[in-house]
Amino acid sequence: MKKVAFYTLGCKLNYSETSSISRMFEQKGYHKVEFNEQPDIFIINTCSVTDNADKKCRKIVREAQQINPDGYVAIIGCYAQLKPKEISEIPGVDAVLGAAEKFQLVDLLDTFEKVPVGQPGQVLASPIEEAIDYHTSYSLNDRTRTFLKVQDGCDYPCSYCTIPLARGKSRSDSVENVVKAAREIAQKGVKEIVLTGVNIGDFGIQNGQRQESFLDLVKALDVVEGIDRFRISSIEPNLLTDEIIAFVAQSKRFVPHFHIPLQSGSNKMLGLMRRRYRRELYVDRVNKIKALMPHSCIGVDVIVGHPGETQADFLDTYQFLNELDISYLHIFTYSERPNTSALTIRPVVPNRERAERSKMLHILSDKKKRSFYENQLGGTYTVLFEDDVQGGMMQGFTENYVRVTAKYDPLLINETKKVILTGINESGLVEVEEAETELLSHH
């Protein structure tokens, strides 16, 4: 029985796909092990969002070779689609599979015979136009929550982004298939599903035609028995409609937590970035959510140092975010990606300046998060406790994404429990006390 190990770089979407590919191996009789347990085969799922993709990929290949010099190394993921030849020449790499090939990995490679030393790895990567099939994917057994992929690819040509080149055109699962997957997940005892994709608000395109909508999907999932919570991972502001917000506000299972990419608070920069909205729409989305769900958590993606961003543009963004009723920021420092239109924009922001802007926003994010947590104190929420115990304490998240800590109780792992939020400790976690004694798990 050959042993196979997986390593995932990047986003939730990659985790869901790695998990699904690993189950294909197990169905074929392979034994899944940890990366350091002398596997015969290493599968590395890569990311291309930042310029570290290359360094990270090389480092993990080196690590794999140290663990088992005879181990077969296959590289998949966004970076593999973008730079297959380059990766195939990394010493130790035996195969590189593109977006259209990665889900056929077990069948395509079959014997997993190492290439002779000094020769490049085998490249199986079609042009991205051929990545048209949709593959249902979800993560399992990795954590308390499951990432369920509902959509792939993107038709938005944002100036800084390589994802359309790495994942192809927007395409989706059907509502029926996603509901079926959610029911399978429920049978495994998972309590929370996070819906993930490249551009999930664009859900509903099958075979090049729009068949269904994200609202159709949300409504169908809301009645799936056995899952306590659904979380929407990240949704473009122009695709987050009033109807979706209103439905989540009265939903049984969708939690009041939205992650909405902004990228810049300057309309000039949003134009240069080729975003499909202006800041006025963003304010409108935030206000709409807060009017219907005052306790909701709103996370924001921001890019600093994009070409053309002056100090004044950055301060415009800073001020905009400072005044907005949001809960935390995900800050990305712009990094040059090949074949993107941002490379033609001037002036280029010096790296030192990018780092300075990033630091300012990280401080703002901490302030926003603390303020959001403080506003929730005294409230009663439901926490889903995780299997992550450190120093006799366990952690979990409320429905509105407040991270709490409590004394370890084995009965509470992967269970939902009503708690009152009482205070914030020095680590920035929220302390709780029981709201009532019985467990609120739906068995």
Side-chain angles (χ1 to χ4, degrees):
M1 214 167 146
K2 278 195 170 174
K3 295 190 290 187
V4 60
F6 297 84
Y7 193 94
T8 307
L9 293 159
C11 61
K12 293 170 179 150
L13 188 53
N14 272 5
Y15 278 96
S16 71
E17 292 183 340
T18 300
S19 194
S20 290
I21 292 167
S22 77
R23 291 194 292 278
M24 291 176 186
F25 272 89
E26 287 175 304
Q27 282 156 11
K28 288 269 174 126
Y30 290 85
H31 179 47
K32 183 182 168 185
V33 297
E34 292 299 322
F35 212 75
N36 58 356
E37 292 178 40
Q38 290 284 311
D40 304 296
I41 303 160
F42 296 89
I43 309 293
I44 302 165
N45 193 353
T46 60
C47 168
S48 70
V49 168
T50 68
D51 55 1
N52 281 335
D54 180 36
K55 288 193 211 86
K56 287 181 178 172
C57 185
R58 284 173 190 275
K59 188 171 194 295
I60 294 160
V61 171
R62 278 200 304 274
E63 196 63 34
Q65 285 183 295
Q66 281 170 359
I67 291 165
N68 181 4
D70 300 323
Y72 187 96
V73 177
I75 313 286
I76 59 173
C78 292
Y79 186 51
Q81 176 66 38
L82 292 173
K83 296 279 180 75
K85 187 176 179 304
E86 199 174 288
I87 297 170
S88 75
E89 288 162 4
I90 296 174
V93 169
D94 296 292
V96 184
L97 290 93
E101 289 78 17
K102 63 187 170 192
F103 283 95
Q104 300 155 302
L105 199 150
V106 192
D107 301 321
L108 285 174
L109 299 180
D110 192 33
T111 56
F112 293 98
E113 277 175 40
K114 278 195 80 59
V115 297
V117 175
Q119 282 191 22
Q122 183 185 7
V123 173
L124 298 160
S126 321
I128 194 58
E129 293 71 33
E130 290 178 35
I132 51 174
D133 293 335
Y134 185 85
H135 298 272
T136 304
S137 304
Y138 54 84
S139 61
L140 264 190
N141 307 329
D142 305 328
R143 40 188 64 162
T144 312
R145 62 183 63 83
T146 282
F147 300 130
L148 172 57
K149 171 178 148 186
V150 300
Q151 183 274 345
D152 200 352
C154 188
D155 297 339
Y156 287 12
C158 297
S159 62
Y160 48 83
C161 185
T162 54
I163 299 295
L165 306 172
R167 283 188 169 269
K169 287 203 167 301
S170 181
R171 55 201 185 277
S172 309
D173 219 336
S174 64
V175 168
E176 186 187 350
N177 266 351
V178 178
V179 167
K180 182 167 161 274
R183 291 201 175 113
E184 284 169 19
I185 292 165
Q187 284 169 356
K188 310 279 186 197
V190 172
K191 298 290 196 298
E192 179 175 308
I193 291 177
V194 181
L195 301 184
T196 176
V198 176
N199 186 357
I200 63 175
D202 199 33
F203 175 89
I205 297 172
Q206 291 144 39
N207 305 319
Q209 302 288 315
R210 180 164 298 288
Q211 311 281 352
E212 297 168 305
S213 74
F214 188 62
L215 184 60
D216 297 335
L217 177 66
V218 167
K219 286 179 170 174
L221 288 172
D222 202 46
V223 294
V224 171
E225 293 294 329
I227 297 292
D228 288 8
R229 301 172 169 181
F230 286 97
R231 214 175 274 282
I232 298 168
S233 68
S234 176
I235 184 165
E236 293 283 310
N238 51 307
L239 297 174
L240 178 57
T241 62
D242 286 353
E243 291 79 15
I244 294 168
I245 295 168
F247 186 81
V248 170
Q250 55 82 52
S251 147
K252 295 200 289 279
R253 294 186 170 89
F254 276 82
V255 294
H257 174 206
F258 294 88
H259 194 92
I260 316 166
L262 168 69
Q263 311 310 12
S264 177
S266 149
N267 278 342
K268 176 196 120 180
M269 290 310 301
L270 289 173
L272 285 177
M273 290 174 166
R274 298 189 173 178
R275 300 293 286 160
R276 304 227 169 170
Y277 54 87
R278 293 298 174 257
R279 67 191 234 165
E280 291 74 16
L281 174 88
Y282 200 93
V283 173
D284 182 65
R285 299 298 77 200
V286 169
N287 291 344
K288 189 72 87 248
I289 291 165
K290 287 292 185 178
L292 293 177
M293 296 165 267
H295 296 306
S296 63
C297 177
I298 301 176
V300 184
D301 286 343
V302 196
I303 295 173
V304 294
H306 184 282
E309 184 185 65
T310 63
Q311 184 66 6
D313 299 326
F314 169 70
L315 291 173
D316 202 12
T317 293
Y318 185 94
Q319 211 39 52
F320 179 73
L321 290 166
N322 194 28
E323 289 166 12
L324 211 52
D325 191 2
I326 53 169
S327 318
Y328 63 91
L329 305 173
H330 272 180
I331 300 126
F332 298 89
T333 303
Y334 170 79
S335 65
E336 284 75 3
R337 314 305 300 131
N339 304 317
T340 54
S341 64
L343 295 175
T344 63
I345 301 171
R346 296 289 177 270
V348 171
V349 181
N351 285 334
R352 196 185 62 253
E353 195 60 52
R354 296 181 204 182
E356 196 51 49
R357 291 174 190 179
S358 170
K359 195 170 147 192
M360 280 178 71
L361 285 186
H362 275 99
I363 294 166
L364 179 63
S365 181
D366 291 345
K367 197 178 91 177
K368 287 280 182 188
K369 192 179 195 176
R370 174 114 196 161
S371 164
F372 174 65
Y373 279 11
E374 283 170 353
N375 285 334
Q376 312 310 310
L377 296 181
T380 303
Y381 292 96
T382 307
V383 173
L384 174 58
F385 283 102
E386 296 177 353
D387 189 7
D388 180 18
V389 182
Q390 288 164 351
M393 302 298 282
M394 59 199 287
Q395 295 183 7
F397 282 100
T398 61
E399 58 271 50
N400 64 339
Y401 213 57
V402 173
R403 188 183 264 288
V404 310
T405 180
K407 202 159 140 296
Y408 170 60
D409 178 348
L411 278 179
L412 287 181
I413 297 290
N414 196 30
E415 299 290 357
T416 47
K417 186 177 176 64
K418 276 262 198 285
V419 297
I420 297 166
L421 309 188
T422 57
I424 303 173
N425 68 16
E426 64 267 26
S427 307
L429 300 174
V430 176
E431 293 167 338
V432 298
E433 63 182 39
E434 252 178 82
E436 51 193 62
T437 47
E438 102 273 16
L439 289 177
L440 291 171
S441 163
H442 305 311
H443 287 301

